[in-house]
Amino acid sequence: MVEQIRKLRDLNRPGGGWWSRRREWRARERLVDMMMASGPELLNEAELRHWRSHAMVELLLKFMDTAMKKDDAVETLARIEALNAVTYEDYQQAKKTLVEEKSAVG
């Protein structure tokens, strides 16, 4: 499903012309069919993968313009292990906690 989402994103570019729009429509229909057939578990997995990749990029961007020290490398490896250990339920619980904290503060 993640590959279908990426393919749809690639096809959805400006200036692609009529054939590109037609391929985009077909890819969108396949994606909807996959989502309906697979149920919410596959969609949850896609959301979790998206969050993980975004968190990983943020983590690595932290060290983009400076040299990593040994302590930084150990911290980064620990964070990567923690990111890979997160399940969808953990992710949803963390999101819920953040929303509750923001509503309590705001």
Side-chain angles (χ1 to χ4, degrees), residues 60-68:
L60 296 177
L61 282 176
K62 179 179 174 183
F63 302 107
M64 188 171 166
D65 56 350
T66 60
M68 285 183 83

Side-chain angles (χ1 to χ4, degrees), residues 21-85:
R21 284 194 306 273
R22 187 170 181 185
R23 287 193 305 263
E24 178 190 347
W25 295 333
R26 288 182 183 160
R28 191 177 304 275
E29 288 173 0
R30 283 193 305 270
L31 180 61
V32 168
D33 290 342
M34 284 177 61
M35 290 168 72
M36 291 176 69
S38 65
E41 293 83 18
L42 192 58
L43 190 60
N44 294 347
E45 179 66 25
E47 182 182 0
L48 180 63
R49 283 183 181 203
H50 177 74
W51 173 80
R52 276 184 186 159
S53 66
H54 184 71
M56 189 72 68
V57 167
E58 285 182 355
L59 176 65
L60 296 177
L61 282 176
K62 179 179 174 183
F63 302 107
M64 188 171 166
D65 56 350
T66 60
M68 285 183 83
K69 300 173 189 156
K70 187 174 182 175
D71 295 337
D72 293 337
V74 170
E75 177 188 348
T76 303
L77 289 175
R79 285 188 178 184
I80 289 171
E81 288 177 10
L83 279 175
N84 289 332

Side-chain angles (χ1 to χ4, degrees), residues 85-103:
V86 171
T87 63
Y88 184 74
E89 289 79 21
D90 298 334
Y91 172 63
Q92 287 295 9
Q93 185 63 34
K95 276 178 43 177
K96 187 177 179 182
T97 304
L98 282 174
V99 168
E100 290 171 357
E101 287 177 2
K102 283 183 181 181
S103 65

